Structures are given as structure tokens and as C-alpha cells.
């Protein structure tokens, strides 16, 4: 049942996030539409991490893969990306294939009827006529949310997954980041009381915004935001952390804090958002890069993450260091997106109950 159906857009959009969350949820508390990181509490995160680990295990055998592919072979997914992407697009595509969903895609609005003046709303309504799930990445903040509301009033209220919206949210990236942290620390005392350092373009990086939100679900997390002043994290995120009682530091001194970090989350400069071409190039970012010398300053159990794509903020010399987790992080994206889609379509219990046949 889609309860969004009963509320006008002006009433819905005026609600605080915590009042929107139940309107977007399935009866089991998992999101029906996945639009922002705040839809995931600790229970949902633990469940999703457990399901992801189970899926990774099942997918190791042909018998397991055949089982996974039978789960959603009666469903179709539209992957609608009007912003560039490699990892998110391909990992969602792979996740659909793992579960047997067939996919369609639009990656360039100029080859769809939007070019003829069709509104986004009509385009999405069109996709919902042919597909059972819409996964969308857009330049515009909040578009996925508006589309979820609009579809809820149609006779095809299919789920929407936000695969990155404007500068504000990238909830499924935050899920794979959490899973990477969970995997990295599960045999070393878990995620509680960890110090997470975020480095780079924090003003325009939606991944840091979504991840810092999700980390408030874990006890005792400390956050260190390292950026040149014009690219520092927004006050809204600091206010949110304060409201959750999380400690944070805002600094431009990466080297001072590197030895204290359990996880270092690097990001690239997002110059595609520059108001005038070349604005970012005027900012000195030379102190916000990691090479061998900086890795030597990190603790032996600390990990290095990056949502990717990278430029020069992590030297390729660091790739073979066992503390570098960004390639594993990327692959984790495929697994946790598989788990998210399975949960969206209510297959989680069936997958968790899977047992390999004994010969
Ligand atoms: N991390 C991430 O969103 O990568 P893509 O832009 O390649 O999808």
C-alpha cells in the first residue's frame, strides 16, 4: 500500500524528514521508495548488511546464482541516468542481472522524448507503464522524491531508487560505504566509537552528506571534516551531527588528524558544479591528497576509502596497500544494491532462508 497517495505535494514537501520516512516505507520498515539516507535506521542497516553477506555467499556457486536469478525474473527495471556514471550504473545493472530482472535504460535525455519537450513527470510516468522499478540519477536535487510522490497518485506506483540527486543525496553509495566499514571492522570490534575522516570537496560531495547521516546510527562515531575553506562541509550537516550528539572537528590540517582516523574517506573536487569554469582550479588542494607518505601516517588497522572516480587525490602507489578498500568498496556496491532491490520486492526472507543442497 502506498500511503503517499493520500497527501498533496505541498503538504508532503513541508514535512520534516522523520515524518516523510514512514510514508515511503514498506510494512517491514524497509523503504519502498529509496530516496534519502535518513530512511535507514540501525535495524534496516543491520538487516541489509546481513542480506548482502548472504547474497555474496550464495552467488559463489552456480546453484546459488540460479536461485538468485529466479527471484525477480518476472520483473523489469528502468535505469534512467541523465548524469554521468560508471559504478552506480553498472552495479545497479549487475544487481538487476543477479536477481533476474531485465533492464531498460536511458542515459541521455536528448535521445528520449524529453528532447521533444516531454516533462520529466511524463517521462517517468511512461517508464512506469513498462517497468516495475525505476532507478534514477539526476542533476536536480529532490527530483526522485517528487517523482515518487507523483507516481504514488498513478495506477502504477512502482518503487523509485535515488541513484544520486544533485549535490544533496546519494543514499545507495552511503549504504555501500556502511557495508565496507562493517566488513572492514566486523572482526575488529565493529563500527562503534570509530573516527571517520572525510577529505576533499565536502561542500558539493553528496556521498559525504549521505554517509555522515547514516553513521549517526552507530554509537560514538567521531567525524573529522578536512577541506580547504571554500569546500568545507555544510552547516546543515554539522547541525545534524550536533543534534545526534556526535563529536566533530572541522579543519584544513589533514596530516595532524590522519593518525587518529580509523577510516579516511577521500573525495575528488567536484568541479562540474563550478559557477564559472575554472573556479575550483583557483583553490589550493595540494594538502588534501594521499600518497605513500600519508599512508605511513595512518594506523595499521585504519582503512582508506573513496567513492570513486578519483583524480589525483589518492596516488596509485596506495592501491596495493591492504588498507586501501576502494576497489572492494566499489564491488560491495553491486552486492548491497542487489540486497536493496531484493528487499524492495520482499525477497529478503526467501534469500536468507536459502540452504545449499547437499550432494
Ligand atoms: N561513486 C559513484 O557514484 O560513481 P559513479 O559516478 O561512477 O557512478
Amino acid at each position: 500500500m502506498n500511503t503517499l497517495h493520500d497527501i498533496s505535494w505541498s503538504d508532503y514537501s513541508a514535512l520534516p524528514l522523520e515524518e516523510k520516512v514512514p510514508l515511503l516505507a514498506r510494512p517491514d520498515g524497509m523503504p519502498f521508495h529509496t530516496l534519502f539516507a535518513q530512511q535507514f535506521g540501525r535495524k534496516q542497516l543491520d538487516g541489509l548488511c546481513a542480506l548482502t553477506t548472504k547474497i555474496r555467499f550464495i552467488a559463489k556457486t552456480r546453484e546459488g546464482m540460479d536461485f538468485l536469478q529466479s527471484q525477480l525474473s518476472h520483473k523489469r527495471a528502468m535505469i534512467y541516468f541523465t548524469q554521468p556514471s560508471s559504478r552506480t550504473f553498472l552495479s545497479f545493472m549487475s544487481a538487476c542481472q543477479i536477481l533476474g530482472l531485465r533492464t531498460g535504460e536511458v542515459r541521455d535525455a536528448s535521445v528520449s522524448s524529453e528532447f521533444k519537450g516531454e516533462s520529466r513527470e511524463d517521462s517517468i510516468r511512461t517508464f512506469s507503464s513498462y517497468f516495475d522499478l525505476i532507478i534514477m540519477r539526476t542533476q536536480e536535487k529532490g527530483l526522485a522524491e517528487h517523482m515518487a510522490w507523483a507516481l504514488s497518485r498513478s495506477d502504477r506506483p512502482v518503487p523509485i531508487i535515488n541513484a544520486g540527486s544533485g549535490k544533496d543525496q546519494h543514499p545507495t553509495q552511503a549504504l555501500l560505504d556502511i557495508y565496507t566499514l562493517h566488513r572492514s571492522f566486523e572482526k575488529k570490534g565493529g563500527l562503534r566509537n570509530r573516527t571517520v575522516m572525510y577529505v576533499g570537496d565536502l561542500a558539493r560531495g553528496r556521498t559525504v552528506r549521505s554517509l555522515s547521516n547514516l553513521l549517526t546510527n552507530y554509537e560514538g562515531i567521531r567525524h573529522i571534516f578536512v577541506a580547504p575553506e571554500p569546500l568545507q562541509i555544510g552547516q546543515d550537516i554539522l547541525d545534524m551531527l550536533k543534534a545526534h550528539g556526535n563529536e566533530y572537528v572541522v579543519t584544513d590540517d589533514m596530516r595532524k588528524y590522519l593518525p587518529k582516523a580509523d577510516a579516511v574517506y577521500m573525495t575528488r573536487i567536484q568541479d562540474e558544479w563550478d559557477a564559472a569554469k575554472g573556479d575550483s582550479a583557483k583553490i589550493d588542494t595540494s594538502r588534501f591528497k594521499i600518497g605513500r607518505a600519508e599512508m605511513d601516517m595512518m594506523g595499521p588497522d585504519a582503512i582508506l576509502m573513496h567513492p570513486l572516480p578519483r583524480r589525483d587525490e589518492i596516488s596509485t602507489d596506495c592501491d596495493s596497500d591492504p588498507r586501501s578498500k576502494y576497489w572492494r568498496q566499489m564491488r560491495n556496491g553491486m552486492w548491497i544494491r542487489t540486497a536493496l532491490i531484493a528487499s524492495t520486492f520482499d525477497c529478503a526472507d526467501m534469500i536468507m532462508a536459502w540452504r545449499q543442497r547437499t550432494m
Side-chain angles (χ1 to χ4, degrees):
M1 193 179 69
N2 195 333
T3 50
L4 267 184
H5 179 269
D6 306 323
I7 186 166
S8 70
W9 174 250
S10 58
D11 287 347
Y12 168 80
S13 53
L15 291 174
L17 269 184
E18 61 273 18
E19 288 181 37
K20 289 180 176 178
V21 169
L23 297 178
L24 303 168
R26 292 162 28 88
D28 64 1
M30 280 298 289
F32 176 75
H33 299 291
T34 299
L35 304 175
F36 39 83
Q38 293 89 333
Q39 287 174 265
F40 297 88
R42 183 63 190 270
K43 183 166 172 249
Q44 288 78 35
L45 292 172
D46 287 350
L48 210 50
C49 287
L51 181 61
T52 305
T53 298
K54 180 83 182 189
I55 288 170
R56 278 180 39 233
F57 172 78
I58 296 174
K60 288 183 194 303
T61 64
R62 183 174 190 141
E63 180 198 352
M65 264 307 218
D66 287 346
F67 163 77
L68 289 171
Q69 282 171 0
S70 70
Q71 293 303 301
L72 293 173
S73 53
H74 57 306
K75 299 285 184 191
R76 294 179 299 278
M78 178 64 187
I79 311 183
Y80 174 61
F81 274 43
T82 54
Q83 246 194 337
S85 167
S86 296
R87 276 146 287 274
T88 313
F89 179 85
L90 290 172
S91 61
F92 266 120
M93 173 82 87
S94 302
C96 288
Q97 288 167 352
I98 290 168
L99 292 168
L101 283 113
R102 276 156 290 177
T103 55
E105 63 183 76
V106 167
R107 301 199 67 175
D108 177 358
S110 72
V111 297
S112 79
S113 283
E114 281 181 47
F115 186 70
K116 297 181 238 170
E118 185 169 56
S119 68
R120 281 281 165 89
E121 211 158 300
D122 282 0
S123 290
I124 303 282
R125 179 71 186 80
T126 302
F127 302 151
S128 77
S129 298
Y130 306 130
F131 295 94
D132 306 293
L133 168 68
I134 298 171
I135 302 163
M136 58 189 286
R137 167 174 286 197
T138 61
Q139 185 89 357
E140 298 88 346
K141 175 181 173 175
L143 184 68
E145 190 176 9
H146 190 259
M147 292 304 155
W149 171 83
L151 278 190
S152 74
R153 307 173 82 75
S154 75
D155 57 358
R156 289 275 302 160
V158 306
I160 289 188
I161 297 179
N162 175 5
S165 55
K167 288 180 266 186
D168 66 326
Q169 283 273 355
H170 196 347
T172 64
Q173 175 72 44
L175 293 176
L176 73 92
D177 294 339
I178 287 288
Y179 187 62
T180 303
L181 288 161
H182 165 80
R183 274 186 83 183
S184 301
F185 294 120
E186 67 180 330
K187 295 196 178 105
K188 294 176 182 167
L191 247 174
R192 69 203 300 236
N193 298 327
R194 297 289 176 181
T195 299
V196 180
M197 172 190 271
Y198 316 85
V199 183
D201 189 342
L202 310 183
R204 303 175 292 187
R206 57 196 176 194
T207 64
V208 167
R209 296 177 63 78
S210 290
L211 176 59
S212 55
N213 257 298
L214 274 195
L215 281 170
T216 61
N217 287 292
Y218 298 84
E219 210 178 306
I221 301 287
R222 293 173 295 273
H223 309 256
I224 304 176
F225 297 99
V226 183
E229 197 276 323
L231 302 179
Q232 230 347 320
I233 194 75
Q235 188 60 42
D236 61 329
I237 294 293
L238 301 179
D239 292 344
M240 177 277 297
L241 294 176
K242 199 169 172 187
H244 282 93
N246 281 198
E247 287 176 37
Y248 62 79
V249 171
V250 178
T251 178
D252 65 357
D253 192 345
M254 183 178 79
R255 288 176 150 246
K256 176 177 171 188
Y257 288 97
L258 262 182
K260 299 183 200 295
D262 294 300
V264 178
Y265 191 97
M266 299 298 293
T267 64
R268 74 179 167 86
I269 303 304
Q270 309 247 332
D271 49 14
E272 66 270 35
W273 298 106
D274 281 356
K277 198 169 165 50
D279 277 357
S280 295
K282 295 176 194 149
I283 302 170
D284 178 8
T285 55
S286 56
R287 290 182 299 117
F288 306 92
K289 299 180 201 289
I290 297 262
R292 284 297 340 159
E294 289 74 23
M295 281 213 91
D296 288 346
M297 299 170 76
M298 288 168 53
D301 289 330
I303 64 166
L304 181 61
M305 298 171 69
H306 194 308
L308 303 177
R310 73 174 152 188
R311 289 182 183 165
D312 61 352
E313 57 279 354
I314 299 180
S315 153
T316 52
D317 302 352
C318 302
D319 289 4
S320 56
D321 190 304
R323 295 170 297 172
S324 294
K325 300 295 183 196
Y326 28 95
W327 298 111
R328 169 186 280 193
Q329 185 183 350
M330 190 171 85
R331 189 163 164 82
N332 283 340
M334 175 178 76
W335 297 123
I336 202 159
R337 286 172 173 134
T338 306
L340 178 67
I341 294 170
S343 299
T344 303
F345 286 107
D346 209 12
C347 308
D349 290 348
M350 186 86 135
I351 293 173
M352 288 305 283
W354 186 83
R355 296 272 178 280
Q356 188 153 20
R357 272 202 308 268
T358 46
M359 304 304 273

